[in-house]
Amino acid sequence: MMRYSIRGPQAGSSLLAAAVALATLTACSDGPAAGPGGPTSGVGTPSAVTSATPEPSPTPTRTYPLSTAPLTVPAVRSHEAARGPGWRPAPAAGVVVAAGSEELADEGRLLAGELKIAYRGAVAARAGDVELALGGKGAPESYTLTTRDNRVRITGPDEAGVFYGTRTLKQSVKGSGAMPEGKVTDAPAKPQRGLMVDIARKHFTAGWIEARVREMADLKLNQLGLHFSDDQGFRIESDSHPEIVSAQHLTKAEVRRIVDLARSLHITVIPEIDSPGHLGAVIAAHPDLQLRSASGRAPRGAVDIANPASAKIVDELLREYMGLFPGGYWHLGADEYVALMSKDPEATYPGLARAARAKYGPSARVQDLATGWLNDRAAVVRPSGRTLKAWNDGFFPGGVVDADKDIEVEYWTGKELGARPPTAYLSAGRKVVNLNDEYLYYVLGEPNQFTYPTGRRIYEQWTPLVLRGTTPVPARYGPQILGGRFAVWCDLSQAQTQAQVADGIRTPLTATAQKLWDERKPAMSWERFRDLAAKVR
């Protein structure tokens, strides 16, 4: 409500009439509003009118209700309400970067284009502007977004944090047209948050992958795994071994473009050359590397790890692709090596058993030879400074050889022969990333009792503590669980088109992003979250 005061000289009966009128108007007023967004000044009571010339009152001001948190996916973790109009893009508005924060120019240009306002560079902010700045002592990827006085200021200790603040602003404006007054303080619960795509069994175009990268960025996801070597195909151009590359594949130029786009959006691309299993595309060109059992059976995709030539070709590929993928992680695979899925590996594969004993002593077994293979591949990549990863069924207990301690466990299943629960890895001090096949596996064609995961089930039931099945591990292990990734596997590659895969993973990936950013029980119902996601993305 607007407030008015009586101005000008009054005398005699006029003064009394003025006082009565003033009392009436004051009684109709809502009273003064408190808070930083909309203070108003009160008008004096009739008894205060003792002069023919009352004190002038301030210019009328508008009152605002307390703001509510911006509606985004993932939801912001903390919002300090305030009174005020908030911020909306206007023709005169612009995006600027603070002095000393010039490295935020790319983030500024991107945001300006999205909001359809000008980017003005490293100049002083003015009314209506959005200012980006580096600074503060928050956790990595954290940010603060303050809206007041018709300005927005986004600060963070690193570029990624400021970028995530711009995603919050973008979504809030897209969903409601404005950014609410007040202060957002936000940071992810987990440092590793992402999507993994099996591009080996099914060829995905560079454009499709780039579209997923852009979706991931708006969800504040920061890792894209590319599983590009398997039995059905090897999908990236190779200079060292062109003979293994599938007809449909990504060129190195396309991969560089994907990597550069991802890096600009604060996403790390994690390559995976899976070995010593899942190497069928390599074996097709090099049949001498094929593992054979005592009966002569040749299990698909398994190389003979007793043959030095097997290690040689894999190491040559690792060295070649380290230059193509400059990110901080490397996935070594190590899952489903058929020799270790046998009930009696030593009897079934006596050649591997002999090699194990020759290399590691008389009590060594086939699992020790496989663990040594994993460690040897890690030794090839480690000098590059990467953090190393391997699937949980590539780690074996009770042998004479242990997997190197710095290899992170990517826990996906408890269904393999001799499966160990997640606590076996956690109690040994291992760092673990969650790819629970019960919730986070999107397997084309739904073979082997896999069903397409739903966003609702992830949103309502899954947390990073739920590593296997539906039961969480004890909360004390939370700090060792570094995050998770939603995974697309293309076992029946023709079951869906690229477009169908994109549509099918959209909602479950959004739910996964929410639970990795904030693992607490969501305040919003699933229906509201689903509708919001469709509105702001």
Side-chain angles (χ1 to χ4, degrees):
M1 175 178 288
M2 303 298 287
R3 292 198 173 182
Y4 302 90
S5 62
I6 299 169
R7 298 179 183 273
Q10 305 289 332
S13 61
S14 297
L15 178 60
L16 177 59
V20 171
L22 179 58
T24 302
L25 286 171
T26 303
C28 293
S29 172
D30 339 48
T40 62
S41 296
V43 178
T45 62
S47 62
V49 183
T50 58
S51 166
T53 307
E55 290 294 323
S57 67
T59 302
T61 59
R62 181 180 175 184
T63 62
Y64 296 93
L66 277 174
S67 62
T68 56
L71 296 177
T72 62
V73 291
V76 301
R77 292 172 65 88
S78 173
H79 176 254
E80 180 182 322
R83 297 184 190 275
W87 180 89
R88 294 174 181 272
V95 178
V96 303
V97 297
S101 300
E102 287 79 7
E103 56 263 55
L104 295 172
D106 288 345
E107 287 78 8
R109 290 188 185 94
L110 176 64
L111 179 65
E114 292 167 335
L115 297 178
K116 296 180 173 56
I117 59 178
Y119 174 70
R120 296 206 307 276
V123 298
R126 63 193 187 197
D129 282 352
V130 177
E131 183 181 34
L132 311 182
L134 292 171
K137 298 180 180 179
E141 301 183 295
S142 66
Y143 69 92
T144 300
L145 188 158
T146 305
T147 306
R148 66 169 174 247
D149 300 330
N150 193 28
R151 298 186 190 187
V152 175
R153 179 175 169 85
I154 303 172
T155 62
D158 53 29
E159 291 183 53
V162 175
F163 175 69
Y164 296 143
T166 69
R167 301 305 86 194
T168 294
L169 178 60
K170 174 190 174 183
Q171 286 194 11
S172 183
V173 170
K174 184 175 182 181
S176 69
M179 184 70 202
E181 201 85 3
K183 180 178 178 181
V184 170
T185 305
D186 207 7
K190 295 297 180 183
Q192 296 190 35
R193 310 175 305 279
L195 169 68
M196 193 230 75
V197 183
D198 169 13
I199 64 171
R201 294 180 176 93
K202 182 180 182 69
H203 174 63
F204 290 91
T205 64
W208 187 93
I209 297 170
E210 289 167 344
R212 304 291 76 71
V213 167
R214 293 187 177 94
E215 283 189 44
M216 292 170 62
D218 281 351
L219 293 172
K220 302 183 175 78
L221 298 172
N222 64 3
Q223 292 181 343
L224 171 65
L226 293 180
H227 174 95
F228 64 90
S229 169
D230 214 301
D231 299 339
Q232 294 83 351
F234 192 100
R235 300 291 181 177
I236 295 179
E237 174 188 358
S238 172
D239 298 317
S240 65
H241 289 283
E243 73 281 0
I244 70 174
V245 179
S246 302
Q248 285 188 308
H249 63 272
L250 298 173
T251 66
K252 286 189 174 181
E254 288 175 320
V255 172
R256 290 188 187 98
R257 195 176 76 203
I258 292 166
V259 168
D260 288 346
L261 173 65
R263 183 165 42 196
S264 75
L265 299 174
H266 302 280
I267 294 169
T268 299
V269 179
I270 304 175
E272 180 192 355
I273 299 177
D274 203 350
S275 77
H278 295 283
L279 284 172
V282 173
I283 294 171
H286 297 272
D288 55 307
L289 304 182
Q290 174 67 58
L291 175 67
R292 294 188 181 277
S293 69
S295 65
R297 187 173 69 89
R300 187 182 189 189
V303 297
D304 182 356
I305 58 176
N307 183 350
S310 298
K312 181 176 183 295
I313 191 170
V314 171
D315 289 350
E316 287 169 352
L317 293 169
L318 291 173
R319 292 188 177 98
E320 176 180 0
Y321 290 108
M322 277 191 284
L324 188 61
F325 294 97
Y329 297 88
W330 195 279
H331 204 308
L332 296 165
D335 64 310
E336 295 184 318
Y337 187 49
V338 173
L340 292 164
M341 297 168 72
S342 169
K343 291 184 178 180
D344 190 346
E346 284 68 39
T348 308
Y349 298 94
L352 297 183
R354 286 193 299 271
R357 291 191 295 270
K359 189 169 184 178
Y360 297 112
S363 60
R365 295 174 290 166
V366 174
Q367 71 172 53
D368 296 302
L369 195 66
T371 301
W373 170 281
L374 174 62
N375 290 343
D376 289 345
R377 307 293 76 75
V380 172
V381 179
R382 189 177 288 110
S384 69
R386 266 66 163 201
T387 296
L388 302 167
K389 297 173 171 289
W391 298 111
N392 65 283
D393 51 333
F395 295 78
F396 305 97
V400 299
V401 182
D402 290 326
D404 292 340
K405 296 297 184 184
D406 64 339
I407 303 175
E408 293 179 357
V409 177
E410 302 253 303
Y411 199 100
W412 70 281
T413 189
K415 298 172 183 175
E416 77 280 7
L417 187 69
R420 290 187 292 155
T423 51
Y425 303 85
L426 293 164
S427 62
R430 294 274 182 189
K431 294 179 179 178
V432 177
V433 176
N434 192 324
L435 287 95
N436 184 338
D437 64 355
E438 176 75 21
Y439 290 95
L440 306 180
Y441 262 36
Y442 191 95
V443 185
L444 267 59
E446 301 182 300
N448 302 321
Q449 299 182 325
F450 282 109
T451 57
Y452 293 131
T454 67
R456 179 171 198 154
R457 193 159 179 252
I458 296 167
Y459 186 78
E460 294 180 343
Q461 299 178 19
W462 179 81
T463 76
L465 290 173
V466 182
L467 283 159
R468 172 178 173 176
T470 60
T471 304
V473 298
R476 67 179 180 275
Y477 291 122
Q480 286 175 246
I481 301 171
L482 302 180
R485 288 196 301 284
F486 187 86
V488 177
W489 293 103
C490 301
D491 292 42
L492 300 176
S493 61
Q494 301 306 307
Q496 289 190 338
T497 65
Q498 287 189 123
Q500 287 172 325
V501 174
D503 289 343
I505 70 174
R506 185 176 181 86
T507 303
L509 182 63
T510 304
T512 304
Q514 171 63 44
K515 301 301 283 290
L516 289 169
W517 189 264
D518 188 346
E519 57 194 324
R520 298 172 298 183
K521 182 178 179 179
M524 190 177 291
S525 71
W526 163 249
E527 289 80 10
R528 285 192 62 205
F529 177 84
R530 179 198 59 206
D531 294 346
L532 173 65
K535 186 176 183 181
V536 303
R537 290 187 57 199

